[in-house]
Every structure is written in C-alpha cells, then in structure tokens.
Amino acid sequence: MEIPFISKFIKAMDKPVENTLTSNYTYLFGPTTSGKLVNEFTAMQTSAVYSCVRILAEALASLPLHIYRYKEAGKERVYTHTLYHILHDEPNSEMSSFVFRETLMSHLLIWGNAYAQIIRDGAGRVVSLYPLLPNKVEVGRNSSGEIYYVYTPNAEENPHLKSYASYNLRRHEVLHIPGLGFDGLVGYSPIAMAKNAVGMTIATEEYGASFFANGANPGGVLEHPGVLKDPKKVRDSWNEVYRGSTNAHKIAVLEEGMKYQQIGIPPEEAQFLETRKFQINEIARLYRIPPHMVGDLEKSSFSNIEQQSLEFVKYTLDPWVIRWEQALQRSLLLPREKREYFIKFNVDGLLRGDYQSRMNGYSVGIQNGFLSPNDIRHLEDMNPIPEGEGGDFYIVNGNMTKLKDAGVFANKVRSE
C-alpha cells in the first residue's frame, strides 16, 4: 500500500541532497563510569526509571483532549471536526487514544523525541496517526531548507510501511514532538544525558541482587591449618551448600581445623540502602517527579502531599502538555484552520484539590457573582439544573455595597 503524498515525493527525490542528519543520538548511550551499559532498554529495567516514565506517560494519556473553536466571547468545543474523533477516541484502527498518547509520551521520555506518521486524504485532512520508533528516525534538512524525515523500520510495526526499506517523509507527513534540545529541531534523550546516574542505579540494583544470590553474606576466606591438595574442590563444595539466598543462615560444619574468616564490608556499613534511596531520588529529580509518587514517603505527610501533587501538575506535567498542544496544532491543523481552531488538554480536574477546598472555593465564587450553580455542576461533571429553575443566575451577597453608597439608605430614611 502506498502512503498518501509520499510515493510522488520518493519518485521525484530518491535521496535528499546536501542534508545533515541530526536525530541519531544513540552514541550518547553506552558505558558509564559505573561500568554499566545504559541504553533505552536497560534503563527501563530499573524500577525508578520505569516508574517515572509510567507516571508521566499515563498522566498525559489520561487527560481529556479536545478541539475548540474561537468565539467572540470565549471558546466552544467542536465535536464535528474530523480530528476530534482521531485525537479523542482512535488515532488509527489498532489503537485507542490512550495507548497512542502513552506510547508517544514514553518515546519522548526515553529518546527525547516522539514521531507519528500522518496519513491524509486527498484534501489534506488527517485520516489516521501511526507511531514511529524514534531510534529508527533521522531528521534532516535538504538544500532548499525543507525538513524531512528518513524512517527505516525493521519489523512489521506499521501496516503502511514495508520492512527493511527507508522511507523519506516530508514535514507535513510526520507529527514530531521534540523534547529539550540544543538546535530547536530534535530533542536529546534524558536517559543519555544522565546515563551516569542511571548506570549507578543499575549498579546498585545488581549489587543488591548479587548480595542475596550469595546468601546475603559478603565474601570470606576458608583457612586450613595444613596444605590443601585440591582447594577448588573445597571451595565448590562450600558454595554448593551455603551459597544463595535459600541457603542463608544454615549452620556450617568445618572439619580438619578449618576456620571461616569473613572479609568485605557489610551493606549496612557501606550504606547500601541509603545509596539505593538516593539513586531513586536522583531519577525522580531527572524527570521532576515528587518522591512520594515513586514510593518515597520519608519527607511526605498529609499536609504536603496535596501541595506536591498540585506542583507536579503545574511544574512537571504542564510543560509537557504545552509541548504536545503546540506540536499537534502545528502538524495536524490545516493552515486555514489554525486561526479558527485550537487543540487543548483539560488539566482542570487535576488542579481542583480536595472536596472541602473545592466547596469553599465554589461558595466564594457564588457569593461574589462570578460562578453560577450550573457552572459549578459543569466543573463537577453533573447535569445542569433545568432551564428556568435558577441554575444560570449570577448573584452577589446583599450585605456588600460600594463605598460611595455607604449610608445612602440611612440618609434616605432621615429625609422621609
């Protein structure tokens, strides 16, 4: 199956000329000072990285995503636009909107870039969106200054692309959401930028695993008063009986005057647990995740968890939301639509706070005339009060009046 708009481009321009491919940053991964290999897959095997990526990917994927039209007095949601169903329900026939956004967000958090192929109809309108793996995409600029993308799949990951063939995709055929970068064109991988911190996390996890694999005891020396003819046999027989977490705390029987001398530093003295905890906070700092969201409740309490959660939305999630919104508007809306429509996530539900705080805020809003009962019911996902029963009235507290009108009523009584 040919891709709309792509076949003509490939025939006219088999290979871009005078290009500079700038998106392949895999060389930034690799060995670290801890001696551990760090890449996108080994990083995700650590609980801290996996937890942070999952928190952000699921948070963004769960937000309502709508298309709005500008009005003279505000905005209105547009359900009839072709993009509404694609973004809100099904970007393609194989994925829900949640899975699609969760996948692209995980790409963005691991590789620093998220790509999706845009399938359009003859009028240029978006028909469907398919994710593209970032490590198989290269971004370039041809001699005329036009940005293009080269994608080389190696599996049946996209029904519109054949395997083991490079595809040149033009700018209007790719949804590209870049992360933090240095050239404004592509983003850098957070994992690659902080690979030493991730490598140390991997090293501490492996040390803990090997510690328990050795019976939760450090290494030691078997001392024999005489000369052993076959020391390897003695060592192997000791390991066979006492090595491993399942053999921990077994009673050792030493013969022929042998003694066991422990060497090495116990994990408590090496502050192993503190190191692991610090590395978890280090990864949480990398993704700007509050520690309590990755299971560290040491400095959390009932009085500050809510505030930390609100700060997570404002300072962590909101920048990602804006990055997504602007990329969607730039790539998916037609040029003639950009002045009339805009795409927006709804994060209001995450910022509402606890029930009592919301009710107190609504009470202030009604008494000061900037909220009606139906406004509040809409915010709380409740059906409106029927028309004619006062649900849309805006009222103010009658005990308050303008400063210049203070005493007018009393003067009027005296004159009468």
Side-chain angles (χ1 to χ4, degrees):
M1 180 182 295
E2 290 189 346
I3 310 169
F5 296 105
I6 296 179
S7 58
K8 294 181 180 179
F9 175 70
I10 295 178
K11 292 177 182 177
M13 186 177 182
D14 291 333
K15 292 185 178 180
V17 295
E18 297 183 16
N19 59 74
T20 303
L21 298 179
T22 57
S23 66
N24 191 4
Y25 295 125
T26 54
Y27 65 89
L28 292 174
F29 293 106
T32 63
T33 52
S34 64
K36 300 302 177 182
L37 179 67
V38 172
N39 56 42
E40 56 271 25
F41 299 107
T42 59
M44 283 291 284
Q45 291 178 337
T46 65
S47 60
V49 173
Y50 183 87
S51 179
C52 290
V53 171
R54 182 179 179 183
I55 288 169
L56 281 171
E58 291 181 346
L60 187 133
S62 63
L63 293 176
L65 179 58
H66 303 294
I67 298 180
Y68 295 90
R69 179 190 288 116
Y70 292 106
K71 294 178 61 179
E72 292 184 3
K75 63 184 179 181
E76 66 176 352
R77 193 177 300 174
V78 182
Y79 299 96
T80 56
H81 197 286
T82 54
L83 276 176
Y84 187 91
H85 173 72
I86 293 173
L87 296 178
H88 187 268
D89 300 316
E90 293 183 6
N92 57 66
S93 60
E94 301 173 353
M95 298 179 182
S96 65
S97 177
F98 183 96
V99 173
F100 174 80
R101 286 184 276 155
E102 181 185 44
T103 300
L104 260 63
M105 188 61 182
S106 64
H107 292 173
L108 191 54
L109 295 168
I110 295 297
W111 281 283
N113 294 276
Y115 304 94
Q117 181 196 2
I118 304 174
I119 308 298
R120 300 180 185 269
D121 61 14
R125 293 170 298 193
V126 179
V127 175
S128 57
L129 300 169
Y130 284 89
L132 301 174
L133 286 174
N135 59 336
K136 300 174 185 177
V137 178
E138 293 181 325
V139 186
R141 194 185 299 274
N142 60 23
S143 58
S144 61
E146 181 183 3
I147 295 174
Y148 66 91
Y149 301 84
V150 179
Y151 187 64
T152 309
N154 58 8
E156 294 293 340
E157 55 204 40
N158 188 328
H160 293 270
L161 300 175
K162 296 180 180 179
S163 300
Y164 307 107
S166 295
Y167 291 86
N168 295 309
L169 306 177
R170 300 180 71 176
R171 185 172 183 175
H172 68 271
E173 296 164 334
V174 175
L175 166 63
H176 179 197
I177 309 172
L180 177 65
F182 299 153
D183 58 3
L185 184 60
V186 293
Y188 283 81
S189 166
I191 297 298
M193 293 293 99
K195 66 178 182 180
N196 284 327
V198 178
M200 189 170 179
T201 303
I202 296 174
T204 55
E205 285 192 0
E206 288 187 1
Y207 174 82
S210 63
F211 173 71
F212 285 102
N214 287 304
N217 283 301
V221 175
L222 286 173
E223 296 182 356
H224 193 278
V227 178
L228 288 173
K229 296 182 180 179
D230 192 355
K232 182 177 181 299
K233 182 178 180 181
V234 175
R235 181 177 61 248
D236 291 343
S237 103
W238 175 274
N239 288 335
E240 183 180 352
V241 177
Y242 301 110
R243 186 175 183 179
S245 58
T246 57
N247 296 322
H249 308 298
K250 280 189 174 181
I251 298 176
V253 178
L254 302 177
E255 300 177 295
E256 300 180 359
M258 283 196 300
K259 297 180 181 179
Y260 176 78
Q261 180 67 38
Q262 178 177 300
I263 62 174
I265 304 175
E268 292 79 9
E269 296 181 18
Q271 296 184 333
F272 167 68
L273 295 179
E274 286 76 5
T275 301
R276 286 216 61 190
K277 184 181 295 185
F278 176 79
Q279 287 309 119
I280 292 175
N281 288 331
E282 187 88 336
I283 302 302
R285 185 183 303 117
L286 171 64
Y287 287 106
R288 206 185 298 169
I289 300 292
H292 77 271
M293 298 186 73
V294 292
D296 184 2
L297 301 175
E298 182 178 358
K299 297 182 180 179
S300 299
S301 63
F302 289 107
S303 60
N304 66 10
I305 278 187
E306 182 183 353
Q307 185 61 36
Q308 290 183 50
S309 299
L310 294 176
E311 290 178 355
F312 165 75
V313 177
K314 292 170 61 178
Y315 303 119
T316 303
L317 189 60
D318 198 47
W320 290 111
V321 166
I322 295 174
R323 197 183 296 271
W324 268 77
E325 290 173 345
Q326 295 185 354
L328 293 173
Q329 290 176 195
R330 179 180 57 83
S331 301
L332 303 184
L333 291 176
L334 296 175
R336 65 177 181 271
E337 296 178 325
K338 292 182 179 179
R339 294 188 177 184
E340 184 179 359
Y341 299 95
F342 65 95
I343 300 170
K344 188 172 182 61
F345 287 91
N346 185 2
V347 297
D348 293 341
L350 300 178
L351 294 169
R352 291 189 299 178
D354 63 89
Y355 182 82
Q356 182 177 357
S357 299
R358 296 201 313 272
M359 293 303 109
N360 292 336
Y362 294 153
S363 177
V364 172
I366 287 182
Q367 292 182 29
N368 289 276
F370 62 85
L371 284 178
S372 71
N374 276 344
D375 291 336
I376 296 172
R377 294 177 71 86
H378 174 73
L379 293 172
E380 291 292 322
D381 294 325
M382 300 169 66
N383 292 329
I385 298 173
E387 187 176 355
E389 297 186 12
D392 294 314
F393 288 168
Y394 293 90
I395 59 177
V396 295
N397 193 328
N399 294 328
M400 302 179 67
T401 185
K402 297 178 182 177
L403 183 61
K404 67 178 182 178
D405 293 335
V408 171
F409 176 76
N411 291 334
K412 184 177 180 182
V413 172
R414 291 194 196 99
S415 63
E416 294 177 352

